[in-house]
Amino acid sequence: MTTDNAILTVRDLDVHYGDFHVLRSLSLDIAEQSVVSIMGANGAGKSTLLKALAGVLRPTAGAVRFAGRDISGLAAHDIVSAGISMVPEGARIFSRLTVLENLIIGSYVGRARRERSKVLQKVYELFPVLGERSNQLANSLSGGERQMLAIGRSLMSRPQLIFFDETYLGLAPLVVKDIYQRIKQINQEGVTVVLVDQDFRRSLRNSDFSYILLEGRVVLAGKSRELAEEDVRKAYFGI
């Protein structure tokens, strides 16, 4: 991928957990308004990468630029304000708050507060069930509905880029299919999407560009439709 239209550029990123070196000189580019898949087996560094880019973890080396701005080492709330949001693994909603209260929490950054009502309406159009259940406690929702709420909450900050970290774990196939359709719609409205999903066939089908990680490094990258499944499988498992 060329850097000409990159909204996010990562160069030589290193991340440690204590003495454990998780990401090693990792570089990648995310094109604006694209859908990019990041794949790899358990322990490859996928979730660590997203957490580092979202400000949850602090890299030990490397540079990250977003929309022409150096965001290396910024705190998570500053990265949200810059225009990046994340749907974490397991949804992680506030179960004792209502659906509406969960969504409102996602709109605390300045530009989102100013357009809260407008964005909330868009979220309800994308996920009508959230509008229907806006006054219900979040813990009354099904697993799929909780994921919809987590996605809706991330949209409330009016992001330019969203990370989806294993958003589909434990959900029924029909629910997963529906969520992917909604993610496609989000992308068509101009939001850049980065997907982490262990199902490499599904990832290839639903993305424009793919990166495969192994032991904290990019070992294969290319346009998803041009990557041979056998090459992806070998890179994925390191064989």
Side-chain angles (χ1 to χ4, degrees), residues 214-239:
L214 180 67
E215 297 179 350
R217 296 183 174 92
V218 174
V219 293
L220 183 66
K223 293 181 179 178
S224 300
R225 65 178 180 273
E226 296 177 359
L227 291 175
E229 185 175 311
E230 185 60 26
D231 291 340
V232 173
R233 190 194 309 275
K234 289 178 179 178
Y236 193 103
F237 294 109
I239 57 176

Side-chain angles (χ1 to χ4, degrees), residues 201-215:
R201 293 186 183 89
R202 186 166 62 200
S203 295
L204 291 173
R205 285 197 307 271
N206 289 282
S207 61
D208 304 309
F209 199 92
S210 293
Y211 290 94
I212 294 85
L213 306 188
L214 180 67
E215 297 179 350

